[in-house]
Short mmCIF file of all heavy atoms in Angstrom, two decimals:
data_model
loop_
_atom_site.label_atom_id
_atom_site.label_comp_id
_atom_site.label_asym_id
_atom_site.label_seq_id
_atom_site.Cartn_x
_atom_site.Cartn_y
_atom_site.Cartn_z
N PRO K 515 57.18 67.43 69.76
CA PRO K 515 56.77 65.96 69.97
C PRO K 515 56.46 65.28 68.72
O PRO K 515 56.89 64.06 68.49
CB PRO K 515 55.60 66.18 70.92
CG PRO K 515 55.76 67.48 71.51
CD PRO K 515 56.37 68.32 70.43
N VAL K 516 55.63 65.87 67.82
CA VAL K 516 55.18 65.12 66.63
C VAL K 516 56.43 64.75 65.73
O VAL K 516 56.55 63.60 65.28
CB VAL K 516 54.16 65.93 65.86
CG1 VAL K 516 53.70 65.22 64.60
CG2 VAL K 516 52.87 66.19 66.74
N LEU K 517 57.25 65.74 65.48
CA LEU K 517 58.39 65.57 64.67
C LEU K 517 59.35 64.49 65.21
O LEU K 517 59.89 63.59 64.50
CB LEU K 517 59.13 66.88 64.30
CG LEU K 517 60.39 66.77 63.51
CD1 LEU K 517 60.11 66.26 62.10
CD2 LEU K 517 61.04 68.16 63.36
N LEU K 518 59.59 64.61 66.52
CA LEU K 518 60.48 63.76 67.21
C LEU K 518 60.06 62.30 67.19
O LEU K 518 60.77 61.33 66.94
CB LEU K 518 60.69 64.23 68.63
CG LEU K 518 61.84 63.58 69.40
CD1 LEU K 518 63.18 63.74 68.65
CD2 LEU K 518 61.98 64.05 70.80
N LEU K 519 58.71 62.05 67.42
CA LEU K 519 58.19 60.75 67.47
C LEU K 519 58.22 60.07 66.06
O LEU K 519 58.51 58.94 65.86
CB LEU K 519 56.69 60.72 68.04
CG LEU K 519 56.59 61.07 69.53
CD1 LEU K 519 55.14 61.17 69.91
CD2 LEU K 519 57.32 59.95 70.32
N LEU K 520 57.89 60.95 64.99
CA LEU K 520 57.81 60.41 63.65
C LEU K 520 59.29 60.06 63.25
O LEU K 520 59.47 58.99 62.63
CB LEU K 520 57.26 61.49 62.75
CG LEU K 520 57.20 61.14 61.23
CD1 LEU K 520 56.33 59.95 61.12
CD2 LEU K 520 56.68 62.28 60.49
N VAL K 521 60.22 60.87 63.50
CA VAL K 521 61.64 60.58 63.08
C VAL K 521 62.17 59.43 63.78
O VAL K 521 62.86 58.50 63.23
CB VAL K 521 62.48 61.80 63.31
CG1 VAL K 521 64.00 61.50 63.18
CG2 VAL K 521 62.14 62.92 62.40
N SER K 522 61.82 59.27 65.11
CA SER K 522 62.32 58.10 65.87
C SER K 522 61.73 56.77 65.33
O SER K 522 62.39 55.77 65.23
CB SER K 522 61.95 58.33 67.30
OG SER K 522 60.58 58.36 67.54
N ALA K 523 60.42 56.89 64.97
CA ALA K 523 59.77 55.67 64.45
C ALA K 523 60.45 55.27 63.10
O ALA K 523 60.71 54.10 62.83
CB ALA K 523 58.24 55.84 64.30
N VAL K 524 60.73 56.25 62.21
CA VAL K 524 61.30 55.96 60.92
C VAL K 524 62.71 55.45 61.16
O VAL K 524 63.19 54.44 60.48
CB VAL K 524 61.35 57.18 60.06
CG1 VAL K 524 62.09 56.91 58.78
CG2 VAL K 524 59.87 57.63 59.70
N LEU K 525 63.46 56.03 62.01
CA LEU K 525 64.84 55.54 62.18
C LEU K 525 64.81 54.11 62.85
O LEU K 525 65.75 53.32 62.53
CB LEU K 525 65.62 56.58 63.11
CG LEU K 525 65.93 57.96 62.51
CD1 LEU K 525 66.64 58.85 63.51
CD2 LEU K 525 66.79 57.76 61.30
N GLY K 526 63.87 53.93 63.78
CA GLY K 526 63.77 52.58 64.33
C GLY K 526 63.50 51.51 63.30
O GLY K 526 64.10 50.46 63.26
N LEU K 527 62.57 51.84 62.37
CA LEU K 527 62.30 50.87 61.25
C LEU K 527 63.47 50.64 60.38
O LEU K 527 63.78 49.50 59.99
CB LEU K 527 61.17 51.41 60.44
CG LEU K 527 59.72 51.35 61.16
CD1 LEU K 527 58.62 51.99 60.28
CD2 LEU K 527 59.31 49.84 61.41
N LEU K 528 64.21 51.68 60.06
CA LEU K 528 65.34 51.57 59.16
C LEU K 528 66.48 50.74 59.87
O LEU K 528 67.06 49.90 59.26
CB LEU K 528 65.88 52.93 58.76
CG LEU K 528 65.05 53.75 57.83
CD1 LEU K 528 65.68 55.14 57.67
CD2 LEU K 528 64.84 53.10 56.55
N ALA K 529 66.60 51.06 61.19
CA ALA K 529 67.60 50.23 61.86
C ALA K 529 67.21 48.75 62.00
O ALA K 529 68.05 47.81 61.83
CB ALA K 529 67.80 50.81 63.32
N GLY K 530 65.86 48.53 62.20
CA GLY K 530 65.43 47.06 62.29
C GLY K 530 65.60 46.38 60.93
O GLY K 530 66.05 45.22 60.96
N CYS K 531 65.27 47.04 59.88
CA CYS K 531 65.40 46.42 58.57
C CYS K 531 66.87 46.16 58.21
O CYS K 531 67.19 45.17 57.69
CB CYS K 531 64.70 47.33 57.51
SG CYS K 531 62.92 47.53 57.61
N GLY K 532 67.73 47.13 58.50
CA GLY K 532 69.12 46.93 58.28
C GLY K 532 69.70 45.75 59.04
O GLY K 532 70.46 44.96 58.49
N LEU K 533 69.31 45.65 60.32
CA LEU K 533 69.85 44.50 61.07
C LEU K 533 69.24 43.18 60.54
O LEU K 533 69.96 42.14 60.50
CB LEU K 533 69.49 44.73 62.57
CG LEU K 533 69.90 43.65 63.56
CD1 LEU K 533 71.37 43.46 63.52
CD2 LEU K 533 69.38 43.92 64.97
N ALA K 534 68.00 43.19 60.18
CA ALA K 534 67.40 41.97 59.60
C ALA K 534 68.07 41.54 58.33
O ALA K 534 68.36 40.31 58.15
CB ALA K 534 65.90 42.18 59.42
N LEU K 535 68.38 42.49 57.48
CA LEU K 535 69.04 42.13 56.26
C LEU K 535 70.53 41.61 56.49
O LEU K 535 70.96 40.77 55.70
CB LEU K 535 68.93 43.30 55.26
CG LEU K 535 67.57 43.69 54.77
CD1 LEU K 535 67.76 44.96 53.87
CD2 LEU K 535 66.98 42.66 53.90
N ALA K 536 71.10 42.24 57.50
CA ALA K 536 72.40 41.70 57.87
C ALA K 536 72.45 40.32 58.43
O ALA K 536 73.41 39.58 58.08
CB ALA K 536 73.09 42.77 58.89
N LEU K 537 71.49 40.00 59.16
CA LEU K 537 71.38 38.57 59.71
C LEU K 537 70.99 37.60 58.64
O LEU K 537 71.33 36.43 58.67
CB LEU K 537 70.38 38.57 60.81
CG LEU K 537 70.67 39.34 62.11
CD1 LEU K 537 69.63 39.31 63.05
CD2 LEU K 537 72.02 38.87 62.66
N GLY K 538 70.31 38.05 57.55
CA GLY K 538 69.98 37.13 56.46
C GLY K 538 68.68 36.37 56.76
O GLY K 538 67.94 36.60 57.71
N PRO K 539 68.39 35.34 55.89
CA PRO K 539 67.16 34.57 56.06
C PRO K 539 67.16 33.74 57.30
O PRO K 539 68.25 33.44 57.89
CB PRO K 539 67.18 33.70 54.86
CG PRO K 539 68.18 34.27 53.92
CD PRO K 539 69.20 34.99 54.70
N VAL K 540 66.00 33.47 57.84
CA VAL K 540 65.88 32.63 59.01
C VAL K 540 66.26 31.22 58.60
O VAL K 540 65.68 30.63 57.66
CB VAL K 540 64.41 32.68 59.54
CG1 VAL K 540 64.24 31.83 60.77
CG2 VAL K 540 64.08 34.15 59.87
N PRO K 541 67.21 30.53 59.29
CA PRO K 541 67.56 29.25 59.02
C PRO K 541 66.41 28.20 59.17
O PRO K 541 65.63 28.32 60.18
CB PRO K 541 68.70 28.90 59.95
CG PRO K 541 68.57 29.82 61.07
CD PRO K 541 67.89 31.06 60.52
N GLN K 542 66.17 27.31 58.17
CA GLN K 542 65.11 26.30 58.25
C GLN K 542 65.59 25.01 58.93
O GLN K 542 66.88 24.70 58.81
CB GLN K 542 64.63 25.99 56.80
CG GLN K 542 64.13 27.22 56.07
CD GLN K 542 62.79 27.68 56.68
OE1 GLN K 542 62.07 27.01 57.31
NE2 GLN K 542 62.54 29.01 56.52
N PRO K 543 64.79 24.29 59.61
CA PRO K 543 65.25 22.97 60.26
C PRO K 543 65.60 22.04 59.14
O PRO K 543 64.96 21.91 58.16
CB PRO K 543 63.89 22.60 60.98
CG PRO K 543 62.82 23.30 60.31
CD PRO K 543 63.37 24.64 59.82
N GLN K 544 66.73 21.39 59.41
CA GLN K 544 67.30 20.42 58.40
C GLN K 544 66.49 19.10 58.54
O GLN K 544 66.05 18.65 59.56
CB GLN K 544 68.75 20.09 58.78
CG GLN K 544 69.68 21.31 58.68
CD GLN K 544 71.11 20.96 58.90
OE1 GLN K 544 71.40 19.81 59.25
NE2 GLN K 544 71.94 21.97 58.77
N GLU K 545 66.31 18.50 57.31
CA GLU K 545 65.58 17.24 57.24
C GLU K 545 66.50 16.07 57.53
O GLU K 545 67.67 16.13 57.28
CB GLU K 545 65.01 17.11 55.83
CG GLU K 545 63.95 18.18 55.51
CD GLU K 545 63.40 17.94 54.08
OE1 GLU K 545 63.91 17.03 53.41
OE2 GLU K 545 62.55 18.77 53.67
N ASP K 546 65.85 14.99 58.04
CA ASP K 546 66.60 13.77 58.40
C ASP K 546 66.94 13.07 57.04
O ASP K 546 66.02 12.71 56.31
CB ASP K 546 65.75 12.79 59.26
CG ASP K 546 66.55 11.66 59.72
OD1 ASP K 546 67.72 11.59 59.34
OD2 ASP K 546 65.95 10.86 60.49
N PRO K 547 68.25 12.88 56.80
CA PRO K 547 68.54 12.27 55.50
C PRO K 547 67.95 10.84 55.43
O PRO K 547 67.87 10.32 54.31
CB PRO K 547 70.05 12.25 55.50
CG PRO K 547 70.52 12.37 56.92
CD PRO K 547 69.39 13.14 57.64
N GLN K 548 67.73 10.07 56.65
CA GLN K 548 67.26 8.70 56.57
C GLN K 548 65.70 8.75 56.34
O GLN K 548 65.15 7.62 56.07
CB GLN K 548 67.58 7.96 57.78
CG GLN K 548 69.15 7.84 57.99
CD GLN K 548 69.49 7.08 59.26
OE1 GLN K 548 68.60 6.78 60.02
NE2 GLN K 548 70.76 6.90 59.44
N ALA K 549 65.07 9.81 56.52
CA ALA K 549 63.64 9.83 56.30
C ALA K 549 63.28 9.67 54.85
O ALA K 549 63.94 10.20 53.97
CB ALA K 549 63.06 11.14 56.84
N PRO K 550 62.19 8.91 54.55
CA PRO K 550 61.81 8.72 53.14
C PRO K 550 61.25 10.00 52.59
O PRO K 550 60.53 10.73 53.17
CB PRO K 550 60.67 7.71 53.19
CG PRO K 550 60.13 7.82 54.55
CD PRO K 550 61.32 8.22 55.48
#
Side-chain angles (χ1 to χ4, degrees):
V516 177
L517 178 62
L518 190 60
L519 291 176
L520 182 60
V521 171
S522 62
V524 173
L525 292 179
L527 287 174
L528 292 177
C531 294
L533 182 58
L535 293 176
L537 294 176
V540 177
Q542 301 294 332
Q544 298 182 357
E545 298 180 356
D546 188 0
Q548 296 180 358

